[in-house]
Structure formats: C-alpha cells, structure tokens
Amino acid sequence: MRGAPGVNAVIQARSSSTRLPGKVLRPLAGRSVLGWVVRAAAAAPGVDQVVVATSSDASDDDVAREAARCGALVVRGPLDDVLERFGLALREHPADAVIRLTADCPLLDPALIGQLAALWRAQPTLDYVSTTLVRTLPRGFDAELVRADVLLEQVASATGADREHVTSGIYARPTRYACSGVVVSPAADDLRVTLDTAEDWELLSALVAELGDRVGDWRAVVALLRARPDLVALNAHVEQKKVGR
C-alpha cells in the first residue's frame, strides 16, 4: 500500500540578482541567507526532500556548493528559465507535489510551509495552494504548492514571463486550475521581510538581531514589527518587482 503523497520543497536560487547581487550567500547571524531558507524547508512538517534549483552558469557554482553544504539536494539548469529548473528538480527527485520557495526569504516559517502540504494532502485534487493567492501575510513568507502533473504541464507549455515566475501561468487561470490559499487575520500584508535591496537587508539584519538565529515564526516577526515602526520604516518605500505577462 502506498504511503502519503510525496511533497518536495524546491528552492530557486541564483547569485545574479539585479538589485542586490550575491544576496542569497550573504551571512546572516552566522549562516547564509540560503542556509536560512534550507533550514526552514527542512523543518517543515510534511516535506520529504529539500532541493535547491540553481543555474548551471559558473556564477552559481558557489550557490550550488553552499546548498549542498547546508544539506539540500542540488539541481542545475538554465539561468533564465526558472520553470525548466523546477521541471528538472521534479524529474531528478520525483514527488507528487512541489512547494516552491525562493532563496531571498530567510525568515520563512516552517509551520506555514507545512500547512500547505497538509492542506493539499487533505484535498489532493487541488492544483495550487499558496500563502499568496490572497496576500495577508508579509512579503517574505511566500510559499506555493503545485501538483506535479500541473507543474510539468507548465514546463511543457508556458511562455514568456511565466517561465521566469514559475507559477503565474497557474494562479492567473483560476477557471482552469483549482486553486486555494492560506490567509491570516489580522492581515499583515503591508509588511515586507524579503531580501531584494540594501534597505531590505538593513531590516532583516535588525530583525535577526532582535529575534536571534532561529527558524522563522511569522507571528513573532509581525508582533515585533507592529511594536517597532522604526524598523518598518527602513524598507517601507521599497516597491516589489511586478510580474510581467
């Protein structure tokens, strides 16, 4: 008899960020930003394997080495075709569903990641489950689960920006794909704890100095930021890159 459907976490990572090059290898409280993300994924209940999907470009050799050092499996594929890298991760490390994470979210909460796995296992006909379908959490706690056959369908058919953004070809078509999401109350989507700019780095460094080197806890992060508007102000003006289609 087959056990529970397999769920792998796949973390996309590269060193050639346009706004903050090398950000995923920056040291944060004694471990790399990528190391924080790998640790959170590995601690998430219901996640079977953690895979880092980086590029085969020489600029990402250090990313691949760091991912392996942190205990993750590593796959390498096209620099500019992130979706193909996810397909490669799925082909090399088969699973029934994949949770997409990005390496610039060091405060990721394992409980939220695990919640996606649990929700999907309870209703495996869902194509897509995420913390961002209706955004109520701070940017930086983003996690998206995609059923394996849906992901491979996207690998075979998606074009343009959908290949960079991996999941946009799914959640943008709710009449075609069955989508569900995790929401929290009160909403905290006005906050930003992802790493894309120098201002983001200043905030994350301050948060970690207060909270210590531990896996992310979204409630603790939100509580601290609500009590410290001076910290929120550090990156409140930063605009997130838009998803082009």
Side-chain angles (χ1 to χ4, degrees), residues 183-200:
V183 299
V184 302
S185 182
D189 54 307
D190 56 305
L191 302 173
R192 175 186 174 89
V193 293
T194 190
L195 177 58
D196 202 29
T197 68
E199 295 86 349
D200 294 333

Side-chain angles (χ1 to χ4, degrees), residues 15-45:
S15 64
S16 52
S17 166
T18 54
R19 293 210 276 188
L20 197 64
K23 63 183 179 181
V24 303
L25 296 178
R26 285 193 173 208
L28 185 62
R31 74 180 69 237
S32 67
V33 170
L34 177 59
W36 280 73
V37 180
V38 171
R39 178 177 62 170

